Amino acid sequence: MSQGIHHTEVDGIPTLFAYATGPMRAGLVFRVGVADETLAGAGITHLVEHLALHRQGLADYHFNGATKAAFTHFHVEGAEHEIVAYLDGVCTSLLDLPMERLETEKEILRTEEASREPGQLPLWRYGAQGYGLVSYPEWGVRGLRPDDVREWAGTWFTRDNAVLWIAGERLPAGLSLKLPAGRRRPMPAVTSALPTAPAYFSDGKGGVLLDAVVTDTTAARLYAGVLERELSRSLRQEGGYSYTAASDYTSRRDGFATVTAFADALPAKQDAVLGGFVDVLAGLQVGRIAQADLEAVRGRSDATLTAPDAAVRRLPGAAEELLAHRPPRGLDELRAELWAMTPQHVHAVALEAAGTALLQAPSGHRADWAGYTAAPTTSSYAVTGTRFEAVRKDGPAMVVGGEGVSLTAGGEAVTVLYRACAALLSWPDGGRRLIGTDGLSVEVEPGEYGIDAHTMATIDAAVHPSAVVQLPPRQRQQQQRRQGGAASAGQAGGSGAVQQAQRKASARRTGGQTAMLVIFGLLAGLWSLLALSYTVFGASDPETSAGEWAGLTVFLWAVGALLAWPAVRVVRSTRRG
């Protein structure tokens, strides 16, 4: 066990303890997270976390919970008796969740989700499953029943799937953790939606974002730090292109980690930032790693390892390592490895990262010139079946077959097979969205393709009931935008024929609306000018009585309002769309 962290056990739960003065801190960590869910059931772990914390009420001590990709944390800081009460309360609630709060907590989760902006890189890398689910809305929450939630809690939130950590002067007296027996769960399966790497996609955001999967080593942590220094030097200090240039390192706890790097950019500087970003990566890949940068990053890392509270700060991560069957390493071992690293070790990580890199470029920008392959936004084939032409001219065609559905145009297709359908979103107005496990999706709008009710029923019946998500009535804006929450890879970018056909149909509708707006707007404006002139000057006409003036004024303004109304309708329709 690592220096400063001691291993014991409480009620059959592995426990990590580190000595610390001041308020006691503790955490209960379970090996379950978003990556263990399905897209159609997404949000169930988060819901259990919320329900388990409800009975804590408004306590004076600090406590919270967090649902991550592969782990769920309950943590607390306070006096010894408060720690005992909190941990006992969490375990008691997990055994008997307050289902009277179910619908209320669902609403709270939906409110929380409305302010969250999930990143797009996970869905492009992993697809609509496993680690990719962190990019999607919690669509499963709305339809969860009490029995579903109880079963999930009883399966995953068990003493054999948990680790406790405590930082204080001693283990708290009277600590009792009553959890059901279970089994230690393996780490989530790692999926891939990228046929080749390095890859890129274009997104509407203004900056450049990249992640790469590398072996989880000390050298990889140093690479992330060196990369941040190089990006800051090149893009902020020297070029003045970016305000923020940063990197992050996140262990996946399965022997691999994700290095993430970001640089923001104004619209006029996007080309420069993208080019400079790629240049920095290329420099590290050819071995241009300054010894001074390595020493600076190494010094910060060593200071973190040797800080007075270093053992306490490592406890949550050590608990995750233990749950992943990776015993935490000793401090002396970590420091020895840290000081043994050379620029050659960092260079090797740079080459590894280059082979797995996924780049998010600003909208309208490409990165194939730098050796990145465009991430797929279309499928390699279309299903065979009944073909439904788009009602609007130049729109893509829909093919509904026995295996799945395809959207086709110009020799390209986006296909979702029923057997690989991660979720079927269903709206009361008849609209459907099939999302494949690869992240590609197909919108099935009966009115846009003239699809009959029998065919729609066939699609519904072909998808496994566990993948169906019943959603409430949608606003017209949602119907026309058809993006709803996190965009899937099939919608998030790409310049293929399918997307172009969709854009043409949308542009034609917008063009017609604009013409109506101009025509009726001009007529209403001219008529209103006439009405205004008569209102001001007509009253002074000696040949016109007051009654005649008032009547004609009302008439003129009424006609102006009638002319303006179509323009108002167009504006409102455009805003909704």
Side-chain angles (χ1 to χ4, degrees), residues 77 117 122 126 265 318 477 549:
E77 178 178 329
E117 293 187 9
Y126 301 109
Q477 177 183 6
W549 172 82

Side-chain angles (χ1 to χ4, degrees), residues 42 70 72 122 132 136 193 200 210 365 374 386 432 471 529:
T72 299
Y136 286 88
Y200 83 96
L210 174 139
H365 289 72
T386 304
R432 302 288 186 268
L471 293 175
L529 182 61

Side-chain angles (χ1 to χ4, degrees), residues 371-552:
Y372 292 79
T373 302
T377 57
T378 58
S379 305
S380 59
Y381 63 93
V383 299
T384 57
T386 304
R387 182 181 178 90
F388 297 88
E389 300 293 341
V391 173
R392 295 183 177 89
K393 186 180 178 182
D394 294 336
M398 180 75 63
V399 180
V400 179
E403 292 183 287
V405 296
S406 295
L407 203 59
T408 66
E412 294 184 347
V414 176
T415 297
V416 176
L417 299 177
Y418 300 133
R419 66 174 182 271
C421 183
L424 168 63
L425 307 186
S426 175
W427 288 275
D429 61 14
R432 302 288 186 268
R433 181 192 302 165
L434 289 86
I435 304 174
T437 53
D438 59 1
L440 298 178
S441 70
V442 173
E443 301 279 351
V444 184
E445 297 290 343
E448 292 193 9
Y449 299 97
I451 303 177
D452 58 273
H454 174 73
T455 301
M456 294 301 299
T458 300
I459 294 174
D460 289 342
V463 176
H464 194 279
S466 64
V468 177
V469 180
Q470 300 290 344
L471 293 175
R474 51 186 174 169
Q475 300 298 319
R476 185 174 178 183
Q477 177 183 6
Q478 293 173 301
Q479 294 175 6
Q480 294 185 354
R481 184 177 58 201
R482 301 190 201 120
Q483 293 284 345
S488 68
Q491 300 166 316
S495 57
V498 174
Q499 287 84 5
Q500 289 177 0
Q502 291 173 319
R503 284 196 292 269
K504 285 180 181 179
S506 176
R508 189 163 42 256
R509 292 195 298 271
T510 303
Q513 291 172 339
T514 302
M516 289 179 62
L517 178 63
V518 171
I519 293 171
F520 282 101
L522 284 174
L523 289 174
L526 291 173
W527 194 269
S528 297
L529 182 61
L530 174 64
L532 179 63
S533 299
Y534 185 80
T535 302
V536 174
F537 301 109
S540 60
D541 188 348
E543 296 183 3
T544 302
S545 67
E548 292 174 334
W549 172 82
L552 189 54

Side-chain angles (χ1 to χ4, degrees), residues 11 13 28 30 48-49 51-53 55 74 87-99 146 149-159 176-182:
D11 286 340
I13 298 176
L28 188 58
F30 294 91
V48 170
E49 175 221 312
L51 289 169
L53 291 176
R55 294 190 180 110
F74 296 96
L87 293 173
D88 178 71
V90 168
C91 293
T92 299
S93 288
L94 288 171
L95 284 170
D96 182 22
L97 291 169
M99 289 304 173
V149 181
R150 289 192 189 98
E151 182 181 0
W152 190 262
T155 301
W156 294 92
F157 291 86
T158 67
R159 66 169 177 264
S176 178
L177 305 176
K178 301 303 181 185
L179 289 172

Side-chain angles (χ1 to χ4, degrees), residues 7-10 12-16 159 162-165 184 322:
H7 192 181
T8 183
E9 190 175 283
V10 175
I13 298 176
T15 301
L16 304 176
R159 66 169 177 264
V163 167
L164 172 69
W165 63 264
R184 180 68 56 83
L322 203 56

